[in-house]
Amino acid sequence: MRSRRRHPLLVPVLLCASAVLVARPTAAMGDTEGPGGLSADVVRLYEEAAVATRQYEAGRREADVQRGRAKRLERLLARERQDIAALHGDLGRIARAQYRSGGGLPHTAQMLLADSPEELMRGQRAVWQADLAVNNAVTKSRRAEARLVADEARAASAWRALERRNGELGEIKRGIEQKLEEAQWTLQGQADASVAAGACRGPVRLDQPRTGFTQPWVAPVETYELSSGFGRGGDRWARRHTGQDFAVDIGTPVRSAGAGRVVKVSCGGAFGIEIVVKHAGGYYTQYAHLAAVTVSQGERVAVGQWIGQAGTTGNSTGPHLHFEVRLTPQLGSGVDPRKWLAARGVRL
């Protein structure tokens, strides 16, 4: 059994050349008008973060390709520089050979010094061949130098494009994270005010995702990291920890582990904002330290339905979901949630 699982929701985006910049949030962070209000804003920002993450991963792969292309250009440039150096060496050797063989003598002097017409023709042919070799070497050298200049420009352009993409990506990432953090803590502030007043603000209605679950039970959150487990000791609990904690961010949608009926919605005490759901078979599940609820007491819920959003209300040291499985609605009848879910095909 695995004791730890992490499904990153917000992965801390190189945009590929054809990627579209992620859309900015359409609602202001303090605006509570419209379906779901601030709670819906947080969920939308999570969705935007997921889009940005996919773009980031696509861009990162493109950046790896771009980096490899730039490195190949650098290797090509190094070879071209070596070829040009070799061509310059060839030119020097040809020039020296011409000088030693008299290739630089005027045509009239060559005629006077030749012993026979055949010797003159051979000398002319040698000079012509030497001149041709020099001209070819010069042409090759000039072409190589022009190619080197073009390839250097291509390499520099590739690295500049990579840097620009990194900059665009960083701005998008920082913008989403800032808006999400502001929305999360505004939502948490509203939740803390409800707990202090001991009265719930009423459910927020979020657009439910299309799930189509075929299994009767699911984990209470989709994205999580397990933290404090059932039965664990510590200063924060009177005796032992009575549930399983899931480390998640404020505003993370909380799901009903199974179909049932909401028998309790409370907004005060050590558990802060909490929900208790009764399931077939006589078991109850509790979802505590929430920042918002999306259901009303007495409402029937389906497996995987969003019933609230995680937070850090009540006796909590940081954002997480406290999840319990009980034999009664009251505290003190809890069983190990991990073992209980595992027996029903859900491994955390």
Side-chain angles (χ1 to χ4, degrees):
M1 180 182 297
R2 288 170 290 182
S3 62
R4 187 180 181 92
R5 177 179 293 177
R6 181 68 169 173
H7 306 281
L9 178 64
L10 180 58
V11 178
V13 176
L14 286 173
L15 293 178
C16 60
S18 60
V20 179
L21 299 185
V22 67
R24 298 296 185 183
T26 55
M29 290 303 96
D31 186 5
T32 58
E33 297 182 2
L38 181 61
S39 294
D41 287 340
V42 174
V43 173
R44 279 195 294 270
L45 282 167
Y46 273 125
E47 292 171 351
E48 288 186 5
V51 171
T53 297
R54 290 192 294 270
Q55 289 183 333
Y56 174 75
E57 289 302 311
R60 185 180 55 79
R61 290 190 294 270
E62 173 65 18
D64 290 340
V65 173
Q66 186 84 325
R67 188 173 292 105
R69 186 181 300 122
K71 288 182 178 179
R72 287 194 297 273
L73 283 173
E74 289 291 348
R75 290 193 294 269
L76 175 62
L77 292 176
R79 287 197 300 270
E80 288 178 349
R81 292 186 186 102
Q82 291 175 352
D83 291 343
I84 289 174
L87 287 172
H88 288 170
D90 290 342
L91 280 171
R93 284 191 295 273
I94 291 171
R96 289 192 295 272
Q98 277 190 304
Y99 178 78
R100 287 194 297 269
S101 63
L105 290 176
H107 180 67
T108 303
Q110 292 179 20
M111 292 179 63
L112 293 173
L113 295 173
D115 295 330
S116 65
E118 291 78 9
E119 182 180 350
L120 177 62
M121 293 300 295
R122 285 195 300 271
Q124 288 293 98
R125 188 178 299 110
V127 170
W128 175 79
Q129 290 175 342
D131 287 342
L132 181 62
V134 170
N135 290 336
N136 287 340
V138 169
T139 301
K140 288 176 63 178
S141 177
R142 287 174 177 171
R143 287 176 179 172
E145 289 173 350
R147 194 164 54 245
L148 174 64
V149 170
D151 288 341
E152 284 176 336
R154 287 171 56 199
S157 176
W159 284 116
R160 285 195 299 270
L162 193 60
E163 291 172 357
R164 283 196 302 271
R165 205 168 294 136
N166 272 321
E168 292 170 354
L169 172 62
E171 287 298 319
I172 291 171
K173 176 176 176 290
R174 284 188 292 273
I176 291 177
E177 288 179 339
Q178 181 179 357
K179 288 176 181 290
L180 180 57
E181 184 176 7
E182 290 174 359
Q184 286 173 329
W185 288 107
T186 302
L187 179 64
Q188 182 62 42
Q190 293 177 351
D192 290 336
S194 296
V195 171
C200 295
R201 296 175 57 245
V204 297
R205 299 300 177 180
L206 302 178
D207 292 333
Q208 293 291 327
R210 295 182 180 179
T211 55
F213 290 116
T214 57
Q215 67 272 32
W217 302 97
V218 295
V221 283
E222 181 181 5
T223 300
Y224 60 86
E225 183 173 336
L226 297 178
S227 51
S228 298
F230 179 78
R232 181 175 175 180
D235 296 335
R236 285 175 288 170
W237 309 292
R239 292 186 179 87
R240 295 286 178 178
H241 193 224
T242 55
Q244 174 64 56
D245 286 349
F246 295 79
V248 291
D249 291 329
I250 296 170
T252 299
V254 173
R255 311 185 295 191
S256 179
R261 184 171 60 86
V262 178
V263 296
K264 182 181 181 181
V265 176
S266 174
C267 295
F271 286 120
I273 299 176
E274 63 169 319
I275 298 170
V276 177
V277 177
K278 181 180 181 180
H279 305 281
Y283 286 99
Y284 297 80
T285 54
Q286 180 207 30
Y287 311 79
H289 305 307
L290 303 177
V293 297
T294 65
V295 291
S296 301
Q297 190 164 312
E299 184 176 335
R300 297 203 65 83
V301 293
V303 56
Q305 179 180 333
W306 287 353
I307 59 175
Q309 290 174 277
T312 182
T313 54
N315 183 18
S316 172
T317 59
H320 73 284
L321 169 69
H322 175 85
F323 175 71
E324 289 194 19
V325 178
R326 299 173 179 170
L327 298 174
T328 69
Q330 291 78 30
L331 180 67
S333 60
V335 298
D336 189 335
R338 291 186 64 185
K339 293 181 179 179
W340 189 86
L341 285 173
R344 288 155 179 79
V346 181
R347 295 189 176 274
L348 303 179

